[in-house]
Amino acid sequence: MVQITLPDGSQRQFDGPVTVAEVAQSIGSGLAKAALGGKLGNRLVDTSYTITADTPLSIITAKDPDGLEMIRHSTAHLLAYAVKELFPDAQVTIGPVIENGFYYDFSYKRPFTPEDLVAIEQKMTELAAKDEPVVRRVLPRDAAVEYFKGMGEAYKAELIASIPTNEDVSLYREGAFEDLCRGPHVPSTGKLKHFKLMKVAGAYWRGDHRNEMLQRIYGTAWASKEDLKQYLTMLEEAEKRDHRKLGKELDLFHIDEHSPGTVFWHPKGWTLWQEVEQYMRRVYRDNGYQEVKGPQLLDKTLWEKTGHWDKYRENMFITESEKRDYALKPMNCPGHIMIFKQGVKSYRDLPLRYGEFGACHRNEPTGGLHGIMRVRAFTQDDGHIFCTEDQILPECTAYTALLQKVYKDFGFTDIIYKVATRPEQRIGSDESWDKAEHALMESLRASRCDFEISPGEGAFYGPKVEYTLKDAIGRQWQCGTIQVDFSMAERLDAEYVGEDGARHRPVMLHRAIVGSLERFIGILIEEHAGALPVWLAPVQVVVTGITDAQADYVQSVAKTLRNQGLRVETDLRNEKITYKIREHSLQKLPYILVVGDKEKEAGAVAVRARGNQDLGVMSLDAFAKRIAQDIASKA
């Protein structure tokens, strides 16, 4: 007798061993048809898996996140099947699931072309339509090695040979194709209907540049036609918003091979940077932060004390001078503790809030660099709050409210909150962890924020809240964080004098709102598709005349507006006005002011707003009031 407990608590009994598919059929034919797999506790299995003992069971369908992952995993195998059908000499290597899709690496004698991708996708559709069963079998490791060697699949044989000799391996067959895989997989290829191959890229075998360069085919797969269409539409929109493309078109910045992973800011881009930085500087000032500045180079002995030398050295830029080793700082925390330690601190000084626009360097791999979103040199709006344990809750509550206001000013109101709790390997007492986790959760409740728990995802020194932005096209960007640290003050011997006259260790709250300014500016560019709000726009107004006869008035208007603190350019070129309007519109400028003889005589301007809006003629004072309201409201 086998007893199955379903998610709703109901139970079903079977006379003997039963498969997941049979359990689904006993519930209903509709569920049996939709079933992709099963979940026994936390273990995913195929629908063909035989259950021999009492167990809880969930039937997995395409509506479940696990089901979507199974679809993507199985579609990767379908891709390899199609490639082998079309290109029998190709060797298959590995094909995992990734965010929003999958990839598979192949070794082949020539590069795959765009036409090949079209043919491969068509073959995948044909194979899926056959609805061939996906069947699992198990072989001893050595037998599996010989099996794939006999097929000429040297890469698969090498992978299996790295598995311990006493282990068995599982293989999955669909039609004429069989592949090494742990599984689970969908029951048949007919479950795979909504997929698209995206691109081909290079990838080294096993990620080692000393090995052969393989060809990686990327694809995406979804549970429904609508989901696939929505994703492809989002990708099209994301391509239009790509900050690298807009950065070039709007003359904001460029990346150069002479300094990979760093940014060359052009005048307009640096103006945008300064607006973000100066805004955050006002946030510091208005919320009790003291701005500090730490050195770029710090002796390795300091990094040894913090633990970074052992755990993070490969990501640090190291240099040597006079037989001493130094590192360019990858983060600002140790420097802030060194500042805190100067002079005696009392409990009356706490909470003590330091903020820094700290330039950091991290030796990111070349393949991971991405425009200004992922760089090697970046500046953080880094802050550290030194406080007592009793001050953790009020400080975290105030911080969440502050972060929400900042994000709203930048145009983000959809925020996802996650609390990452204690990992297995950690330091500090359970009592201190209880207090820190409680404070973080209570701070979010006080701010009326729904939040998720990420069990075990906290840092070894303390829990944290991660604040993730959702942008205009649904993408998520993790930017802000606040982390509770009981460790670093101890490691670097920071202390304060308590009310009892004794020495105590402060709690250190690590916090960042926008995080890397480079990355945040990239997010802003993509969020607004380059059409930045008036208060952030590098050029807020351009003034242009219809003919040379208005040149003096154009300059006068521009000077008046500049004196009011606006960022204004003039266009006195001998070009048709329609040409100039079109060109400035492509630059996504908030306002274009056109003046002819009538406007000059009346002391007025003809106003065109972004989006091809003709606002008509208004006095210069009226326009100045309008744009001032835009800036004040962060419109």
Side-chain angles (χ1 to χ4, degrees), residues 227-244:
D227 288 345
L228 175 60
K229 182 179 179 181
Q230 184 177 0
Y231 176 69
L232 295 177
T233 300
M234 187 274 289
L235 287 183
E236 290 177 5
E237 184 62 29
E239 186 175 355
K240 296 176 188 174
R241 295 168 179 259
D242 191 319
H243 74 280
R244 295 166 298 180

Side-chain angles (χ1 to χ4, degrees), residues 20 34-39 43-48 58-62 64-78 95 97 101-102 134 172 174 181 183-188 191-192 221-223:
V20 172
L36 300 179
K39 195 169 188 178
R43 181 187 174 196
L44 287 171
V45 297
D46 302 300
T47 56
S48 60
S58 300
I59 304 298
I60 302 300
T61 72
D64 301 303
D66 289 325
L68 181 56
E69 182 145 332
M70 290 176 69
I71 287 172
R72 289 171 175 163
H73 190 180
S74 298
T75 308
H77 280 233
L78 185 67
V97 172
F102 58 89
V134 180
Y172 281 82
E174 49 200 87
C181 190
H185 282 279
V186 300
S188 69
K191 302 291 186 183
L192 311 175
W222 296 84

Side-chain angles (χ1 to χ4, degrees), residues 454-470:
S454 298
E457 295 297 315
F460 72 91
Y461 52 76
K464 58 184 176 179
V465 177
E466 294 178 337
Y467 303 84
T468 299
L469 303 177
K470 186 177 286 189

Side-chain angles (χ1 to χ4, degrees), residues 9 11 15 173 189 213 339 346 429 461 547 590:
Q11 295 179 331
D15 292 336
R173 174 179 291 277
T189 60
M213 175 69 78
I339 295 171
S346 162
S429 67
Y461 52 76
T547 69

